Amino acid sequence: MRRAAPFLLLAVLPLAGCQGWQSALDAQGPAARTLADMFWIFLAVLGAVWGLTMIALLLSLRRRRPADADPLATNPETERRMIVTTSIAVGLTLVTVIALTGLSYAAQKVLFARKDGALTLLVTGEQWWWKITYEDSQPNRVFTTANEIHIPVGEPVLIKLEASDVIHAFWVPSLTGKMDLIPGRQNQIQIQADRPGLYRGQCAEFCGLQHAHMGLFVIAETKEEFERWRDRQVSSATPPSDSHRQRGMEIFLSKPCVMCHQVRGTDAGGKVAPDLTHVGSRRTIAAGTLETTRGNLAAWILDPHGIKPGVNMPAVKLEPDEVQPLADYLEGLK
Amino acid sequence: MASAQTDPPHPAVPSFAASPGDGQWTIPQKNYASTRFSDLSEINTENVKNLQVAFTFSTGVNKGQEAAPLVVGGTMYVLSPYPNILYALDLTRPGAPLKWQYNPKPASAAQGVACCDVVNRGPAFANGRLFFTTLDAHAVAVNAETGEEIWKTKLGDINRGETMTMAPLVVKDKVIVGVSGGQFGVRGWIEALDVDTGKSIWKAYSTGPDQDVKIGANFKPFYDSDKGKDLGVATWPADGWQQGGGTVWGWLSYDPDLNLVYHGTGNPGPWNPNPRPGDNKWTAGIFARDADTGEARWFYQIAPHDLHGRDGNNETILLDMEWEGKPRKVLVHPGQTGFVYVIDRVTGEVLSAKPFHALTAATGVDLETGKIQYSSDKEPVSNRVIRDICPAASGAKNWNPSAFSPRTGLLYIPHVNLCMDWGSTEPNYIAGTPYVGAEIRMFPGPGGHMGEFSAWDIREGRELWTINERFPVWSGALATAGDVVFYGTMDGWFKAVHARTGEVLWQFRTSSGIVGQPTTYRGPDGRQYVAILSGVGGWAGSIVSGDLDPRDGTAALGFVNAMRDLKNVTAKGGTLHVFKLP
Amino acid sequence: MCSSSLKAVAASILLTALALAACQREEREFRSKSMADETEEKVSLVPLSPGPSGPAEQRSGTAKTYEENAYQIAQGQRLYAWFNCNGCHGNGGGGSGPPLMDDMWTYGGQIEHIVQSIREGRPNGMPSFRGKVPDEQIWEIAAYVRSMGRNVPKAAAPGRRDDMSPGPAEQRRPPGQVIDGGQIPPSAQMPQ
C-alpha cells in the first residue's frame, strides 16, 4: 500500500484540471460547453471501445491451445465464429467512426456559427502581449487597451484576430477553443460567457521566448458594469491628482517610455507597446504575469528581463527618487 | 433659337482678379483668384521661339527651388529653400544685380522634420512689405525697399514636427499662414497674423472640437455628412484627432465679395487608415473661412477616411461660369484624388468631378452625397501589400499649381502619372518623428511616362491635349495673353507651349531640373520677361537634392522607386533664369 | 577497417567544429545591462590630426559584440522601424534624412560614430536619442545601420523580410566600405 501511495497521488493530479479559471472542462460559455461535451462523449465512447478491446485481448491470452495440436489446422466452427465476430467488430467500428465524425461536424457547426452580437473586438497578437481594440459604430468610442478583455455576460462577442509579427493563438479554455492569430490574415472567433467571472486565457501557439508568459484575462460582467467600464476606458487619462503623481508624469514623459507607450491625454503616443492610459485599472501587467501593484510596476520597469527574459521592454535607467513617483503615477491611471 | 448652337462662354476670371495692367507679379498666385495668368502679350506664339536668356542669378542653395520669383516695380524678389534667404534684385540696372538680401537664420534642426525637401513656395508682397515663412515655423515681414526685418513671429514647434513651407496670403490687414507636418502627426492649423505686428488674430485647427476648428452658427456645409456637432472629435478614435494631421501647407485663394478665404487641409495622420476609423474630419478637404474671424463657412471633404495619403492643399482657382444655364461662382480644384472638382464657392456644392488621371483607388464621386467612391480592393489591410493603386500617394497632382487662361477658357494642369504598391505597417507616434505606417513604392502609371502637362476643359470635364513627360511634372504653370503657356520639367527643360494646340514652341535646358513656379513681368525697359527658378528637389526630386540611394525603392516615401534614373539626368541646382525676346 | 573509422572520427570532428563555429553569431544575453551608463567612445570624425600620427582614439570594444551578432542586428532591425528611423531614412535609401546604405557618411560611418550620432543628434536635422533610447538599443540600431551597407559579416546580416521588399536583403548586398570624410555636410552649403 505504501509503495502504491505515490502512484495514487499521481492519479489524482489530473483531477486538478477539472476546475479553475483556466480549465477547458469547467465550461462557462456555450462554445466551451460544446467542446467539453465532445470531450466527455469521445472519452466515454472511445474508453468503452478501449475497454472492450482490452477485455478481448485478455480473454484471448487466457485461452490456450492443446500442446500437441497442429498449429495450421483450421476448425470450420471456430472459423465461422471468427468471421462473424470480425465482421461485427468492423461494422461497429465503422458506425462508431461515422457517428463520432458526425458529432464532430455538428459541434463544428455550433462553434463556427455566428450570432449577431453587439460587441466586436480586434485582438492583435504581439510578442508577448495582446493588443485589444474595441470597435464601435461611433468612431470616437473606439479605443485600445492591452491584455484584459471585458465582455457583457450572456452576449456573443465577435473577436477578430490578427497578428503583427509571428503566429499566436487565442485560447480562453473556459469560454472557447483555440484560434490562431496569423500575420497577414484575419481570423474570427465568437465568445460568450454565461456567468460573471474572471477567466484566464493564454497564447497557445509557440511564439518565442516568452510564449509561456503571454496570458490574458477575460472578465465577464453585467451590462451596466461593462458599459461603465467602457466609458471609463474611452476617456483620456485622469490628470495626476497630486504633486507626487505630477512628478511621476513628468518622469514618464521624459524617459524612454514615450517611445513605445501611449497615455491618451498626454503627448505620449507610442503604439508598439501596451496602451497605458488606464493601466491602473487592469488586474495584471506584463500579460498576466504580475499583479498590478506599485511594487510590481516598479520591479517591471527596473528589471523586465529578470521577470520575462528576452521581452521587448528594455530596462529603464531611473534615479532612486524617480521610482516611487513613477510607479504611483502609473498605478493612478485607473 | 441660336443658343443651342453657340458655345457657352468660357469660364471668366472674377472682376476682383482683373489684372491692374501694371505688368507686376506681386504674389505667387498672381491674384486672389489664383489664375496665374498674365495679360502681357509681347511674347506670343509667333516669336516665343526666339526667347533667350536675359540674366541669371544663383540662390546659393542647391535644394528644391519651388518659389515663384516676384516682381514689384523695378525689383525682383527671390526666396531660396532653407535657409530661406530672401534676395532682392535691382531690375533697373543691367544684369539685375543684388539690391539686398535677408537671412532669417532658421534653426538648422528644422531640416530634420521637413518631409519633402527643405523647400519654400515663395513670399507675398503687400503694402511695401514682403511676407514669408521659414522652415522652422516662423513668419517674417521684411521691408521691401531695404530688406530690414519688421517682425518675426514663432508659430510652431519643430519638436512636434511643425515646419512651414507655404507662401502666405495677405488679406486686408492680415497675413494668413498655415503649418506643415502631416507626415509627422502634427495637428494642422491656419492662422491670421496682424500685418503690422505679427501678432495672432485668429487661429483655426483642422481637427478637434468645433470651437478649435472655428465651426459655429455660420457654418453651413452643403453635404449631410459634414453636419453635426464636434465632428472633428467624433469621426476619430478616442483622442486620435490630437495627432490627426490636416495641415495647411498649400495654396490660399480669397474672394473679397464674399469675404471668404479658401484653403485646403492635408492628409490625416497617420497615412495608414486602420488605426483611425471614421471619416476623420476635417482633413483632406477644402474649407471656406470668413477672412476677418476665421469662422468656417463651408467644408467639402475630397477624401473622407482617406486611404492613400490624399491631401486637399492643391490650389483652388476662383472663376465665374455658367453652369446648367445659371451663372455660378465656382472654385476649380484639380485634386490629389485624380478629379478636377468644380465646386460652387458660395455653398460648397460639387458641380462636377471628372478624372484627369488613371484611377484604380476610386471609381468616381457621387454628386448626390459628395462622397468619393473608393474601390474596396485597394483599401490598405494590416500586414499586407496592396498593389497597383492609382494615383500614387503623391496624388494625381501635388502642390505645383495650374494656370487658367480666360482667352482659351482652359485650365493648364501640370501633373503626374504614377501608381504605387502599398504595404501597411504599424505606425508608432513619437512627437517629432514621422507618423506614417506605410511602405510605398511608386512606379509609372499606364503609358510608362511619369508626368503630363494637360489642357483641361473645365465645363466639359475633359482633357483637350496633353504633353507626356518622362519624369513627373512638378513645376507650376504660367498662362499669358500671348496664348503661350510655360512649364518646366524635372530634367531641366523650360518649355513654352501653344495654349490652344499644345505644340511645344520653344524650350531651353536650364542648369538643373525645374520644380519652381514660372512668372512673367514687364521690366523697367517695357519688355516682357519670363522668370523661372531651376534647381531640382521637392518630394519628387529628393533623390537628387538629398543624395538618396536608388537601391532602396521605399526611400523618400516611395518616390525613389520611380525616380531611380533622375540622378543620371540632372544634378542639384539653384539658379534663377530670366528670359526675354531679343 | 582502420581507415574508415579514422575517416568517421575526422568527419565528426569537422562537423562539430562547423556547428560550434556558428554559436558566436547567435549569442544573446537576456539580462540586459540594466542601469547601464552609455559606453565611452572617444572617437574622432576625421583622419586629420597634427603631427606624424593619426588621431588618438579610444574605443570601448563593444563594437564586436554587436556587429557580429545576428540577434543584436535583428533587434536593431525591429527597433529601426519602431522608433521611426525609417520615416526619415527609408530602408537605408534616405528621404528627408541621408541614406544609410551607401558609403558616404557625413558624420563618420564606423559603428562608434553612428552610435554617437544617434546619442547626440547632429546639425541639420538628426534628433538626439540619448535618454530616450537605452544605450544597448542604440548599439543594436547602429549595428543594423552598419548591416545596411554590408559592413558586417554576411552571416550576421539579416535576410529577406516578409514585408514589401525595398530591394535586396542586407545579407545579399555586396560588402561595403566606409569612405573617410564622405560628403560635405549640408551646413557647408549655407551661402552666407
Side-chain angles (χ1 to χ4, degrees), chain B residues 356-401:
Chain B
F356 67 99
H357 188 290
L359 288 176
T360 62
T363 51
V365 176
D366 176 6
L367 294 180
E368 281 295 313
T369 58
K371 273 198 180 250
I372 189 171
Q373 306 297 304
Y374 293 124
S375 305
S376 55
D377 59 336
K378 298 300 180 194
E379 181 161 347
V381 174
S382 290
N383 287 325
R384 278 233 220 125
V385 178
I386 311 284
R387 298 197 190 269
D388 298 319
I389 301 173
C390 305
S394 60
K397 178 187 157 310
N398 206 276
W399 73 276
N400 44 317

Side-chain angles (χ1 to χ4, degrees), chain C residues 66-67 69 72-73 111 114 138-148 152:
Chain C
Y66 286 91
E67 278 192 307
N69 189 302
Q72 306 283 24
I73 294 177
I111 192 172
I114 299 172
I138 291 182
W139 275 97
E140 287 172 347
I141 297 171
Y144 174 64
V145 168
R146 289 273 292 172
S147 82
M148 282 177 164
V152 302

Side-chain angles (χ1 to χ4, degrees), chain A residues 11-29:
Chain A
V12 167
L13 224 58
L15 294 172
C18 287
Q19 268 188 312
W21 62 9
Q22 191 174 318
S23 168
L25 299 176
D26 187 10
Q28 299 293 338

Side-chain angles (χ1 to χ4, degrees), chain B residues 60-61 83 85 101 103 108-109 111-112 114-115 385 421 423 428 430 433-434 439-441 546-549 551-556 572, chain C residues 82-84 86-97 99 101-102 123-125 161 164-167 183 186 189-192:
Chain B
V61 179
I85 302 178
Q101 55 191 288
N103 185 339
S108 73
Q111 296 171 86
C115 78
V385 178
D421 292 341
N428 189 20
I430 303 171
T433 68
E439 302 231 315
I440 291 157
R441 274 202 317 229
D547 294 310
L548 308 185
D549 194 313
R551 288 176 290 168
D552 172 14
T554 61
K572 301 184 225 192
Chain C
W82 273 24
F83 297 144
N84 295 328
N86 59 354
C88 291
H89 292 284
N91 284 306
S96 54
M101 65 196 296
D102 61 4
N124 299 309
R161 288 190 298 163
M164 182 167 76
S165 167
Q183 65 183 71
Q189 290 175 352
M190 282 259 296
Q192 42 240 57

Side-chain angles (χ1 to χ4, degrees), chain C residues 25-96:
Chain C
R25 80 170 187 129
E26 284 290 349
E27 248 170 47
R28 54 193 74 180
E29 255 180 43
F30 297 131
R31 293 305 287 260
S32 59
K33 301 164 200 59
S34 53
M35 305 298 181
D37 284 302
E38 52 184 61
T39 60
E40 275 201 19
E41 312 297 331
K42 300 192 176 141
V43 288
S44 69
L45 288 173
V46 293
L48 275 180
S49 188
S53 63
E57 292 191 330
Q58 195 184 323
R59 294 155 196 251
S60 66
T62 335
K64 213 161 170 328
T65 55
Y66 286 91
E67 278 192 307
E68 294 183 359
N69 189 302
Y71 171 72
Q72 306 283 24
I73 294 177
Q75 291 290 77
Q77 186 179 45
R78 171 177 62 81
L79 295 168
Y80 182 85
W82 273 24
F83 297 144
N84 295 328
C85 312
N86 59 354
C88 291
H89 292 284
N91 284 306
S96 54

Side-chain angles (χ1 to χ4, degrees), chain A residues 5 9 22 48 61 63 75 100 113 115 123-124 130 147 160 167 206 219 238 241 249 253 278 281 297 323:
Chain A
L9 278 168
Q22 191 174 318
L61 281 174
R63 270 165 173 267
N75 182 346
L100 290 178
K115 289 170 259 179
V123 172
T124 309
W130 306 90
N147 301 325
K160 299 180 189 170
I167 300 178
F206 181 69
I219 295 165
T238 38
S241 47
M249 181 171 88
L253 292 173
H278 297 282
S281 74
L297 280 165
V323 177

